[in-house]
Amino acid sequence: RPWQGQQEQVEMNTRPEYDPKDYLGPGNTRSGGQVNPKYTDTFVFDNDFMALLPDTPAQSMGDLDLLNYHNGTAGNIASDQPSAEDSLFVAKTVRGRCRVVCFSPKLNVTVAEMDVASLRKVVDAWTEEYKFLGGLPYIGYVQIFENKGAMNGCSNAHPHGQIWATEYIPEFPQRELANLKNYYLKNKRHMLEDYVKMEMEKKERIVCENDSFLCLVPFWAVWPFESMVIAKKRVPSLLQFDDKLKNDLADMYRQITCRYDNLFKCEFPYSMGLHQASTLDGIDKADEYAHFWMSFHPPLLRSATVRKFMVGFELLCEAQRDLTAEQAAERLAALPEVHYRVSMKP
């Protein structure tokens, strides 16, 4: 339909390779006063404004058996009937850590313009952090993600991502891991291995692939150009990756983000997240069922200036697709793997 709604501003990359005012730049001073080392590839540090703290005092309100039940960490609700207040107002404090991963010392690049060797170092940093944070005795889940673009809430254009490690498994991963487990117990097969096999047979929603990973627009996609990068064979987490898997993941990270930029000739915004096993020890057996994949949730719809809004019926009832998964995949698959800025250079 004709669009007379909000038009976004196109983010033009006029950034220099280095800016002394860039909080995340090598050798620069961050807003909290800390000085970055003069790093040459990746740099990881504790977020200066952590939403989760490792020393948060344990406090709670309401009937925690209800909270644990819904978080999947308790088998039964207490037999004693809780009061109405204890049933409705249930909360507890959570410990955790928040980390920042700078992907490159250069301010004027994005993942889409980095080479595989550089992105392999990002994958290595993710792996080290997943092992370190997941090894802390109070951490149950490690969420690695990237927000790209001001439209997606990114406050600094320097190429970077974040890691939030939580004491419990958050709602969405908990639901996902439970579904993977239930599917296996019922069918004696792994859900996402079945899904990958069917998508490779149908060839209707595939964007690109390499030896280890498949990139596709999932059948259940909500955002117009939503995609997933999934291991062809089940691997629970980054800890089980060998060199081949790490290199192939870096390659797919570059391929899909480059296609995104090429779609509307812009720095295509998105939120990306890794989906993998939890790190709870003895409580959750996610390693037996988890399957590593990446999800990309980009908001752009028709052009670099028109985004999708989750409002009205979609906010109150359920999401609606503006184009089919097959149409989105066909458009993304047809795009070149060479970044549009390269072809613009004299």
Side-chain angles (χ1 to χ4, degrees), residues 50-87:
M50 286 197 286
L52 297 160
L53 299 171
D55 56 355
T56 298
Q59 297 182 0
S60 65
M61 60 182 291
D63 188 338
L64 290 184
D65 283 332
L66 287 170
L67 184 63
N68 291 335
Y69 178 80
H70 290 297
N71 282 341
T73 57
N76 297 293
I77 297 177
S79 56
D80 294 337
Q81 186 68 26
S83 68
E85 182 174 340
D86 283 348
S87 297

Side-chain angles (χ1 to χ4, degrees), residues 25 95 110 131 201 203:
R95 293 177 294 171
T110 65
K131 183 177 182 180
E201 289 174 352
K203 300 185 183 300

Side-chain angles (χ1 to χ4, degrees), residues 257-275:
T257 55
C258 182
R259 282 182 160 87
Y260 277 154
D261 278 16
N262 287 340
L263 181 62
F264 296 137
K265 299 289 191 298
C266 70
E267 291 195 348
F268 202 90
Y270 58 77
S271 284
M272 178 281 295
L274 304 190
H275 302 244

